[in-house]
Amino acid sequence: GPTGDPLVLDATSEVLGRIRRAKSEAHLSMRAPVSRVVVTDLADRLVALEAGRADLIAAGNVVGPLVTWEGTELMVEVSLAP
């Protein structure tokens, strides 16, 4: 569950929002499986994302790898399962 750290909640909810948007744009159910997620973000936000990883995987139904890369701005690449 949530640790009470606002950055954890912010980082995970932002990525989850991107996952949900990808599903919505593909006209898929929110329960549709995700085969891969690649998140690029600032280092401190990636640390926060790690803290919320289990919640994010469960909420987004991420069945494949959740990969993180350090970068200067948030980018989320969502691969939906066929």
Side-chain angles (χ1 to χ4, degrees):
T3 59
D5 183 339
L7 189 58
V8 172
L9 186 62
D10 183 57
T12 51
S13 61
E14 181 65 42
V15 174
L16 184 59
R18 303 290 184 101
I19 291 172
R20 289 181 168 152
R21 192 179 313 155
K23 290 180 184 185
S24 176
E25 287 171 359
H27 306 290
L28 291 173
S29 157
M30 288 300 130
R31 293 189 303 277
V34 175
S35 58
R36 180 176 162 95
V37 181
V38 181
V39 180
T40 305
D41 208 345
L42 298 168
D44 60 334
R45 291 178 61 86
L46 292 179
V47 170
L49 190 63
E50 281 305 315
R53 177 185 278 261
D55 290 338
L56 178 63
I57 286 172
N61 195 14
V62 180
V63 297
L66 173 62
V67 183
T68 56
W69 295 100
E70 194 175 322
T72 53
E73 61 179 336
L74 176 66
M75 290 190 296
V76 182
E77 186 187 319
V78 180
S79 303
L80 299 165

